[in-house]
Structures are given as C-alpha cells and as structure tokens.
Amino acid sequence: MDIRHLKYFVKVAEAGSFVAASRELGISQPSLSSRIKEVEAWANQPLFRRLARGVALTEAGDRLLPHARELLAAMERAEKAVLGETGYALSLGVTPTPGVTLVPQLLTVSAQSHPPFSIQVQQGSSDELLDLVSRGRLDSALCYRVINNETLVTVPLYSEDLVLVGISSLVDTGAGDVPFDEIARFPLVLDPRSHATRRRIEEVAFKRKLHLEIKLEVEPANAKRAMIEGQGFCAVVPKALYIDAIRSGQFGFRRVVDPVLSMTMGLVVNSAIKQRAFEGLRDLLKQLVHANIKDDVFGWRPPDL
C-alpha cells in the first residue's frame, strides 16, 4: 500500500460513495474499487459497508481515517518543504483546438500559481498523444479520448459539437444547423484519418453510405485555414478552432446535426505522474474550462460522459 491508496480511502470516506469519489479523483469507478480492495486486504478486514446508496465506514475504517488524514497532511507538508518555490515541471500534449484555446490561458495561470507549474507543450493527434503518454514519453495530454486503465487516467473536461466552417459567402451562419447528409455537397478539407474528429465523420458517412467530397487531407490548423480562405474549401471542426475568424465574420459556421457530432475533451495523464502535480494541473484546467463554459464563446458544455 502507498500514499495514493490512503488518498483514495479518505476520498471515498468523505464522499460517501465510489461514484462521487471517482468523479472527484478523475479515475474510473472500477479502478477506485480495486484500490480500496487492496487497502482492505492490507487491513485484513472490511473498511466500508456497502449500502444500497453509497458506503459507510466500518469501525476499522473509522479508526483508520484520522491516521490516514494525518499521513496525507504530513506528505503535503513534506512536498511543500522540498519543492519550495521550484514547483512542478510537466509535459503536456495537445490537439489543435485546445492548443489555440486552453493552452495560452493555462500557460499564463500556471506561471502565476503556487507552487508554479513549468509546462512543456507538444502538439499532435489524439492517437499519437495517447501513445506517448502510455509509454511515459509525455506526462499528460489533452485529447478526444476517455481512457482509464492501469497506465492512463482520464478526467473529462468538456464536450463540444463539430461545425461546418467556410468563408461567409459559402457557409451562412444565419442558415442555422446543417444536416450531416448536406455536407456532402461542400468541398471539404479534413484532418488525416489518425484524428478522432475525422474518424467520427467517416463513421457516420459509412453508416449513411454517403460519399463526401474530400478534396484534401491537411493536419496543421493554419494550413487548413489557408485552404478555406484561398481555395473556398470547407472544414468540419470544433467551432473554437477558428473562433477568431468566426467572430470577425470572415468565416461562417453551421452546427452539424442529424446526427450531432459530439466530441469530449479529456485530460489524460500517466498514472506514474506525481499525485499533487496531477491534481494541480487538473484543478487549473477545470477552472479555465468552467470560466469558458460560462462565457459561452467556444460552444463548450460540461462533459457528456
């Protein structure tokens, strides 16, 4: 048993349920249940009574709780004493949309946090970033995948819908939502198939037996933007990716419906990352996402999952 086991035990005791505790910790409920069983195996007795709705501490759990809290507090004091003003250094992979929305905000607030975060940013597709995080080449990533296993832990941050984007003369924002089948009549520039957004689009097109007019596959957001501006192509992307051009009226957008193409952005971290570093990064991101959802600029909403 290690310090993380104690943290999980305390969180379940305070939350009163595995569901609530797993949500706060950012791990899956099965993973949390497995860790609590390991604590109970160490204690050689049950620490929780499973109730119809939630859990309650057994007598043994009641006796362990104050000691667990004391150890966690001591660990926090020790980390603060050792880290001092140096803070944490983390590597973060990002897909294009959070790269132009969340990351600039994150770098600003992380430098002002206490202790400060030094964040090294790398861009890539969701699949590429997940592979790097799972192999320990990156500490964390922001991507459109929600995975929880022995190596990876995901905290869903927000959900958003894909939109059809093009120059205003071609895509009229005032026309409202556009049915998926209608995007087949637009010349498209899309991400490569390694991107989650592209796979989502093709999944629906395959089921509909719909042929899309894909003119180009382009990964860099700036190159895709140039093709939209100069060649009259359209893209199916998160609204936030080209929010500046949409705000200025240069680009029009229409939300794709029937079906709605929803994507959920998550913070994926390697389970070997220091717990306090993970919590600090998670909390900063949640604060930023909450503020952006409240402002309703990017079309984000609380995660669907």
Side-chain angles (χ1 to χ4, degrees):
M1 186 178 71
D2 58 28
I3 199 71
R4 188 171 299 184
H5 284 84
L6 290 179
K7 182 178 183 62
Y8 292 168
F9 164 75
V10 170
K11 184 60 68 175
V12 173
E14 293 175 345
S17 80
F18 283 94
V19 173
S22 65
R23 189 181 301 118
E24 292 184 35
L25 290 165
I27 66 173
S28 68
Q29 186 177 340
S31 294
L32 179 59
S33 297
S34 177
R35 297 297 175 270
I36 294 301
K37 287 180 180 177
E38 290 172 358
V39 180
E40 291 180 322
W42 166 84
N44 199 31
Q45 57 189 307
L47 300 173
F48 292 99
R49 290 183 289 112
R50 276 65 173 177
L51 308 176
R53 301 184 67 176
V55 295
L57 288 170
T58 62
E59 290 185 8
D62 272 326
R63 292 194 298 270
L64 176 61
L65 183 59
H67 298 290
R69 284 173 170 160
E70 183 179 342
L71 286 170
L72 291 173
M75 177 60 73
E76 183 174 350
R77 291 192 298 271
E79 285 194 353
K80 287 181 178 179
V82 172
L83 287 171
E85 297 297 322
T86 61
Y88 300 100
L90 295 172
S91 56
L92 175 69
V94 298
T95 49
T97 302
V100 299
T101 54
L102 271 180
V103 169
Q105 300 174 27
L106 176 64
L107 293 178
T108 299
V109 299
S110 64
Q112 300 170 350
S113 65
H114 185 80
F117 279 87
S118 172
I119 301 178
Q120 180 180 357
V121 179
Q122 175 178 333
Q123 185 167 308
S125 70
S126 292
D127 287 355
E128 292 168 343
L129 297 176
L130 282 173
D131 178 63
L132 291 173
V133 175
S134 65
R135 290 191 289 121
R137 301 290 295 274
L138 279 174
D139 297 316
S140 57
L142 294 171
C143 55
Y144 290 118
R145 295 286 293 276
V146 177
I147 295 178
N148 290 291
N149 54 36
E150 292 300 314
T151 304
L152 302 177
V153 175
T154 302
V155 180
L157 295 173
Y158 64 86
S159 292
E160 61 187 336
D161 300 333
L162 300 185
V163 301
L164 178 72
V165 171
I167 55 175
S168 297
S169 60
L170 188 60
V171 178
D172 180 11
T173 300
D177 296 342
V178 57
F180 183 90
D181 290 0
E182 286 190 24
I183 70 173
R185 64 184 178 86
F186 292 91
L188 299 175
V189 52
L190 298 181
D191 289 319
R193 287 185 172 87
S194 60
H195 285 244
T197 51
R198 172 67 179 276
R199 290 199 299 271
R200 181 74 178 100
I201 294 165
E202 292 210 340
E203 173 188 328
V204 176
F206 178 79
K207 291 180 179 178
R208 298 285 181 88
K209 298 182 179 179
L210 186 67
H211 175 72
L212 299 177
E213 191 180 350
I214 302 173
K215 296 295 187 180
L216 287 173
E217 290 186 353
V218 176
E219 182 171 29
N222 288 339
K224 197 182 294 107
R225 177 173 182 156
M227 301 309 297
I228 296 172
E229 294 173 344
Q231 302 297 323
F233 292 158
C234 296
V236 179
V237 295
K239 176 185 174 184
L241 185 61
Y242 298 123
I243 190 62
D244 59 334
I246 290 173
R247 280 173 156 177
S248 70
Q250 180 184 10
F251 287 177
F253 78 97
R254 299 174 66 185
R255 186 175 67 119
V256 179
V257 297
D258 189 27
V260 173
L261 303 179
S262 297
M263 307 293 292
T264 296
M265 177 63 61
L267 168 65
V268 183
V269 301
N270 189 294
S271 57
I273 189 175
K274 287 184 177 295
Q275 184 69 16
R276 284 188 58 78
F278 160 64
E279 291 172 352
L281 179 61
R282 177 200 64 194
D283 292 346
L284 285 177
L285 285 169
K286 282 190 170 185
Q287 291 171 16
L288 293 172
V289 168
H290 177 76
N292 282 301
I293 290 175
K294 186 177 180 180
D295 291 343
D296 195 24
V297 173
F298 301 136
W300 295 351
R301 61 180 179 274
D304 297 336
L305 298 178

